[in-house]
Amino acid sequence: MTTSRRKFIKISALGLGGVAATTTALNMFGASSYIDELVKENVAKTFKRTATYCEVCFWKCAAWTYTDEEGAVKKIIGNENDPHCYGRLCPRGTGGVGMYNDEDRLKTPLIRTTVNGEQTFREASWDEALDLIAAKFKGIKEEFGAESLALIKHGAPGKHLEHLYQAFGSDTIAEPAYAQCRGPRETGFNLTFGSWIGSPEPTDIRDTKCLVLIGSHIGENMHNSQVQEMSDAIDNGATIITVDPRFSTAASKSKYWLAIKPATDIALMLSWMNVLINENIYDKEYIEKYATGFNELKDHVSTFTPEWAYGITGIKPEEIRKTAREMADASPAVIIHPGRHVVWYGDDSQRARAMAILNALLGSWGRRGGFYFKESIKVPEFPAPEYPHPKWGWKEIGAKYPLAQMGITTEVIKCAIPSEDNKYPVKALMVAGTNITKSIPNKKLLEEAIEALDFMVVIDTMPMDVTGYADVVLPECTYLERYDEIRSATNREPSIAIRIPAVAPKYDSKPSWWIAKEIGERMGVGEYFNYTDYKEVIEWQLGQMGTSLEEMEKIGVKNFPRKSGSMYLNETGPHEFPTHSGKIELYSNELKNLGFDPLPNYTKHPEPQQGFYRLNYGRAPMHTFSRTANNPNLNDLKSENNLWVNPKVSRILGLKTGQEVWLKNQDDIISTFSIKVRVTERVRWDSVYMVHGFGHQEKKLSRAYGKGINDTELISSVAIDPIMGGTGMRGNFVTILTENPHKNTEI
Ligand SMILES: Nc1nc2c(c(=O)[nH]1)N[C@H]1C(S)=C(S)[C@@H](COP(=O)(O)OP(=O)(O)OC[C@H]3O[C@@H](n4cnc5c(=O)[nH]c(N)nc54)[C@H](O)[C@@H]3O)O[C@H]1N2
Ligand SMILES: Nc1nc2c(c(=O)[nH]1)N[C@H]1C(S)=C(S)[C@@H](COP(=O)(O)OP(=O)(O)OC[C@H]3O[C@@H](n4cnc5c(=O)[nH]c(N)nc54)[C@H](O)[C@@H]3O)O[C@H]1N2
Ligand code: SF4
Ligand SMILES: [Mo]
């Protein structure tokens, strides 16, 4: 379908629900700069500002926290010199104040105890909680080895606890940002160009002439500078092509919206390659000079015509040809965006390979308006003894996935389940900054593993669902109340940003650098924590980098000149890519040698049975996963998710917008709570859609409890990527229940 291009910020009518969701999203972003300007003028006089970077998502925008004379946090505003935000925060970043103000926060350490035969938590002092953790950890280390202590972490606390773990000899570490998020794309692009995409993505969106989004829903996915650059690119006349079974916000800004049948993207991309090669409109010179395996690729795609792809994807051959030509016209200023949350159907590394190959055919890697060569600056390590060498760790645990380059959460967690062939027994688990019951699929496996653990610690700011499984819960203070590691970012130019506490920790909460140090000292590895305040670490590091804490307190962000040469390919001489062959590898010998397809192939994935719909999920602009659901400011904007249902389906089932329904999946798992229907043409008839991160089961979350459905509990079928262990989550199907299935049971 071809849609007319509209201004990014102003969105015209799409049906009432759609307008509400999309306009709020983008207007909030646009408007915030106006409000920010006003606030900036007023606050600059009377308020104090402290440098920080945002922790509401992992884009890590640098910002200023404004506090008044009483020390109350008033407002957080983007830092103008920051390449992640260009001076403007997204609605979530602005709402970060709510993270600090949330009265449901964890307030003291908690220890599990049994009262009258019932398990509950009791408040404890830091000393008691830390002594208990250190004693348990030491005991397990002595009996089973330090390796059997595992850490699942995400975000800023991760760095400090990883240091603790490595100090006492464990590398049994993983995070959901790999096997539940970006892993497959890093593998796919690494195999092709010899380089990870990383974060932020080195997409030169501001100068692009054509941006192709394949299931990447920028605009709902609110990664700051990307959204702003996309808006600029649209103003500059760039063509947006969106491939999404759902009419996303990005689709509404696109010249072409290709409403693909879910799970068939590889077929579309193979046919695009076929057109580019057949019509001789690929970048011949670039391919000849920089790539290997072109002849194999040409043979491989020769039968994958648009007519072939039409039967699979539902996209008309003419649309496929037209869009391929648009890309070629824009080449090399064209981006096939690699996406970010890419664990979909289990063949995700191969889908990422297809994206990488298309970028190569269009000559966009290392070219203006395509992908730039990113650069970062290394933050020197604070002096500490060398880490001991564990006998096993995340690598050994994930060895059956040959190209896994980080710990695989699900594999590490599985190691807690005792069995004869489990060579890597995990006995204790620390979870920090990740709500694993919502971010890791296959709840049955998770519960079985947690049940088998000897000991579990959770470090969080909020009483999230995951805390309910812990033996000890430690309350971390929020990012506005602590120092953290220096943010070193990879962008067009390298930059650093700092995080300084704007206020003292509320309640009895503490920063994770302090928690790590205290546990380390109690476990006898105090020499790794040779400081009394993390401020000393930062001061030392900044000094080594030619700046100082004093300077950084004033500027918050420091940009450095590039040292690695041009952002784009220097085409006067040869260029060596960091792959095995030194060339862009269209055909992958590495995959072939490992027994995988050296060129991507389309494979058919399961489809919904009669009466079932594919469960599709994504982001809302004003929320981040489950972490913001209870945030007073953001909950106010959106307090629950809805179930998007196509009118065809609503007619068959007699559903109305606003009606409460429950879902049951293919494995008979029934949602704990209900969700309200939103009837909309924007979703295909074979799928339903909801925003991830709702349906909280923890009653202590007074605003979020029981609101909407938790998509993760319905994701019991996981398609594992055999190349790197990613957990494909989009092959789950649900049926809609209009009667309360829990009528006679207590939740
Ligand atoms: N079903 C489903 N699963 C998914 C996804 C999906 O879309 N659908 N998305 C996947 C993706 S892309 C990702 S990246 C992961 C994200 O996975 P997670 O990072 O686990 O996401 P959140 O649910 O936000 O959980 C973050 C936890 O950290 C806590 N927290 C926030 N700030 C701090 C802090 O400063 N200190 C400490 N100690 N804790 C803090 C929050 O209260 C919350 O409990 O989830 C993945 N899993
Ligand atoms: N506001 C906000 N922004 C965020 C986050 C957040 O929590 N909130 N999280 C951040 C993180 S960590 C990540 S990883 C990113 C994730 O953001 P993206 O990488 O953009 O997200 P995905 O979840 O992969 O993609 C969701 C889109 O894929 C579409 N889709 C579903 N199935 C298919 C299919 O078979 N084919 C195609 N072509 N499309 C399909 C859905 O309809 C939806 O529009 O967002 C980031 N930005
Ligand atoms: S994109 Fe938004 S939530 Fe994420 S770091 Fe930036 S301001 Fe914070
Ligand atoms: Mo992610």
Side-chain angles (χ1 to χ4, degrees):
M1 182 192 293
T2 306
T3 56
S4 65
R5 185 182 306 138
R6 300 171 189 96
K7 290 279 278 182
F8 196 47
I9 306 295
K10 291 182 207 117
I11 300 160
S12 47
L14 293 166
L16 214 54
V19 178
T22 46
T23 32
T24 351
L26 295 160
N27 284 353
M28 273 192 301
F29 206 111
S32 72
S33 81
Y34 167 67
I35 296 165
D36 286 356
E37 281 309 317
L38 283 181
V39 176
K40 258 182 239 172
E41 279 170 26
N42 292 321
V43 293
K45 296 173 198 136
T46 45
F47 291 58
K48 182 176 153 228
R49 65 175 205 181
T50 311
T52 191
Y53 56 88
C54 183
E55 184 78 15
V56 188
C57 87
F58 303 108
W59 204 248
K60 300 185 188 167
C61 299
W64 296 107
T65 314
Y66 283 87
T67 43
D68 66 13
E69 278 125 18
E70 286 81 50
V73 178
K74 285 304 195 196
K75 173 90 186 169
I76 310 171
I77 292 176
N79 185 317
E80 251 152 29
N81 297 319
D82 183 34
H84 292 235
C85 76
Y86 307 128
R88 291 157 67 178
L89 298 186
C90 85
R92 298 168 299 154
T94 309
V97 184
M99 221 152 148
Y100 166 74
N101 283 331
D102 196 328
E103 71 287 355
D104 292 337
R105 274 174 62 173
L106 289 169
K107 299 183 175 73
T108 67
L110 300 170
I111 293 179
R112 180 182 291 263
T113 182
T114 309
V115 177
N116 299 333
E118 286 230 2
Q119 298 209 350
T120 181
F121 284 120
R122 67 172 170 83
E123 294 186 358
S125 69
W126 276 98
D127 269 335
E128 188 191 3
L130 295 167
D131 286 346
L132 176 63
I133 294 168
K136 285 277 185 192
F137 274 26
K138 269 205 287 199
I140 289 169
K141 181 177 169 181
E142 269 153 36
E143 195 176 343
F144 303 99
E147 296 86 349
S148 62
L149 298 162
L151 170 68
I152 307 284
K153 46 97 184 184
H154 200 188
K159 163 85 181 169
H160 306 296
L161 297 156
E162 198 168 13
H163 176 59
L164 167 70
Y165 265 66
Q166 289 179 318
F168 66 61
S170 171
D171 223 354
T172 310
I173 302 174
E175 62 178 59
Y178 187 70
Q180 281 70 49
C181 178
R182 290 157 29 194
R185 93 173 178 194
E186 308 302 2
T187 302
F189 275 71
N190 198 28
L191 283 162
T192 316
F193 295 108
S195 168
W196 276 36
I197 294 287
S199 178
E201 291 82 12
T203 42
D204 208 7
I205 299 179
R206 71 176 183 204
D207 283 330
T208 201
K209 295 199 186 110
C210 178
L211 176 62
V212 185
L213 299 171
I214 303 178
S216 172
H217 59 331
I218 300 179
E220 283 150 302
N221 156 0
M222 215 56 176
H223 274 164
N224 195 332
S225 41
Q226 275 200 116
V227 183
Q228 295 193 46
E229 289 198 17
M230 178 165 151
S231 174
D232 290 347
I234 292 171
D235 287 348
N236 295 336
T239 298
I240 312 289
I241 300 172
T242 297
V243 182
D244 198 311
R246 186 180 64 96
F247 191 62
S248 61
T249 301
S252 73
K253 309 295 161 307
S254 299
K255 181 165 175 189
Y256 299 94
W257 169 41
L258 306 181
I260 196 166
K261 180 171 167 186
T264 64
D265 299 79
I266 294 181
L268 169 67
M269 286 193 271
L270 290 170
S271 69
W272 270 340
M273 293 176 206
N274 172 291
V275 176
L276 291 174
I277 294 173
N278 262 352
E279 297 192 4
N280 228 348
I281 50 176
Y282 68 97
D283 191 334
K284 227 183 205 152
E285 223 175 286
Y286 181 93
I287 289 293
E288 267 167 22
K289 191 164 172 190
Y290 301 119
T292 76
F294 177 75
N295 290 334
E296 288 91 338
L297 177 69
K298 187 176 173 185
D299 286 350
H300 181 68
V301 299
S302 62
T303 54
F304 300 137
T305 58
E307 284 68 24
W308 166 82
Y310 175 45
I312 297 168
T313 61
I315 302 169
K316 295 209 173 83
E318 227 6 72
E319 291 286 301
I320 297 178
R321 291 202 167 86
K322 251 200 288 191
T323 44
R325 289 173 199 146
E326 283 264 0
M327 294 177 214
D329 281 348
S331 158
V334 47
I335 300 166
I336 313 291
H337 196 287
R340 186 156 173 132
H341 171 66
V342 290
V343 285
W344 295 0
Y345 304 107
D347 53 0
D348 306 306
S349 297
Q350 292 287 8
R351 194 179 65 253
R353 276 266 300 149
M355 290 172 156
I357 292 169
L358 272 171
N359 279 303
L361 288 176
L362 293 161
S364 65
W365 190 264
R367 293 277 193 57
R368 183 182 294 276
F371 291 77
Y372 58 81
F373 294 137
K374 62 195 173 185
E375 191 178 318
S376 63
I377 185 162
K378 197 171 161 16
V379 179
E381 294 289 338
F382 189 75
E386 203 183 310
Y387 294 131
H389 296 287
K391 288 195 212 60
W392 52 268
W394 64 264
K395 236 182 223 153
E396 287 71 19
I397 291 172
K400 80 172 178 217
Y401 302 102
L403 296 183
Q405 287 174 299
M406 283 176 71
I408 302 168
T409 47
T410 32
E411 294 300 308
V412 169
I413 288 167
K414 235 188 255 169
C415 288
I417 302 172
S419 79
E420 268 175 31
D421 50 343
N422 181 2
K423 289 186 283 181
Y424 309 115
V426 162
K427 296 289 175 187
L429 179 63
M430 181 182 271
V431 177
T434 165
N435 190 12
I436 53 174
T437 51
K438 283 228 161 37
S439 42
I440 296 176
N442 199 345
K443 192 172 174 202
K444 205 164 141 235
L445 176 96
L446 198 62
E447 289 194 328
E448 196 183 341
I450 290 176
E451 179 71 32
L453 286 170
D454 286 356
F455 192 61
M456 179 164 158
V457 182
V458 172
I459 306 177
D460 207 297
T461 52
M462 293 293 299
M464 303 298 270
D465 304 315
V466 62
T467 58
Y469 293 92
D471 295 296
V472 181
V473 179
L474 300 178
E476 175 155 31
C477 55
T478 66
Y479 69 107
L480 301 175
E481 305 160 285
R482 65 185 197 227
Y483 286 103
D484 258 317
E485 69 170 322
I486 296 168
R487 183 206 80 183
S488 167
T490 43
N491 282 99
R492 295 179 174 97
E493 281 91 36
S495 69
I496 56 167
I498 52 162
R499 178 179 284 167
I500 298 177
V503 278
K506 250 193 193 176
Y507 313 116
D508 199 7
S509 63
K510 301 276 189 190
S512 57
W513 67 258
W514 181 88
I515 297 171
K517 177 178 155 67
E518 291 288 321
I519 297 175
E521 283 168 356
R522 284 169 170 78
M523 288 182 73
V525 292
E527 71 272 23
Y528 289 86
F529 301 89
N530 196 11
Y531 41 85
T532 47
D533 192 330
Y534 201 71
K535 184 179 173 182
E536 295 160 40
V537 176
I538 297 174
E539 262 176 329
W540 181 87
Q541 289 171 323
L542 292 172
Q544 298 284 310
M545 298 169 86
T547 170
S548 65
L549 188 56
E550 207 188 348
E551 185 193 18
M552 290 303 292
E553 277 170 350
K554 288 194 200 109
I555 56 178
V557 169
K558 193 173 174 78
N559 292 292
F560 293 83
R562 284 178 71 91
K563 286 204 171 134
S564 62
S566 166
M567 257 202 302
Y568 306 115
L569 270 172
N570 175 355
E571 304 195 32
T572 51
H575 181 88
E576 193 160 322
F577 288 82
T579 52
H580 292 297
S581 60
K583 300 242 171 194
I584 298 169
E585 299 193 351
L586 303 173
Y587 179 95
S588 172
N589 278 313
E590 190 172 351
L591 283 179
K592 181 162 183 266
N593 294 340
L594 290 166
F596 299 115
D597 291 349
L599 287 160
N601 272 309
Y602 164 73
T603 40
K604 198 169 165 3
H605 296 293
E607 293 196 23
Q609 302 281 309
Q610 179 76 23
F612 279 77
Y613 306 91
R614 189 181 291 275
L615 176 64
N616 185 4
Y617 56 81
R619 310 277 178 249
M622 61 297 267
H623 280 286
T624 304
F625 320 118
S626 70
R627 68 174 53 208
T628 52
N630 202 66
N631 179 311
N633 304 53
L634 300 173
N635 181 278
D636 213 32
L637 299 173
K638 181 179 175 67
S639 60
E640 60 194 278
N641 54 3
N642 295 117
L643 187 73
W644 294 30
V645 176
N646 184 277
K648 246 196 218 169
V649 176
S650 71
R651 263 197 304 276
I652 295 169
L653 302 178
L655 302 173
K656 297 214 161 27
T657 290
Q659 182 177 346
E660 204 182 351
V661 295
W662 292 257
L663 298 178
K664 184 169 86 170
N665 83 352
Q666 73 283 341
D667 297 323
D668 285 336
I669 296 175
I670 298 177
S671 64
T672 309
F673 301 113
S674 62
I675 190 167
K676 288 187 192 122
V677 168
R678 171 176 160 197
V679 177
T680 170
E681 292 280 1
R682 296 178 58 180
V683 65
R684 280 170 59 103
W685 59 269
D686 57 0
S687 317
V688 291
Y689 175 81
M690 69 174 74
V691 169
H692 165 65
F694 289 88
H696 287 264
Q697 273 173 277
E698 177 53 71
K699 289 193 169 134
K700 292 187 207 105
L701 299 169
S702 61
R703 278 172 291 272
Y705 171 77
K707 296 279 178 60
I709 284 185
N710 166 14
D711 55 333
T712 311
E713 71 181 348
L714 299 169
I715 301 178
S716 51
S717 166
V718 179
I720 299 186
D721 189 323
I723 299 177
M724 52 59 67
T727 57
M729 306 201 250
R730 294 235 163 101
N732 288 267
F733 308 102
V734 293
T735 187
I736 300 171
L737 313 175
T738 50
E739 292 273 317
N740 182 356
H742 306 297
K743 232 179 348 214
N744 302 317
T745 44
E746 211 184 308
I747 295 172

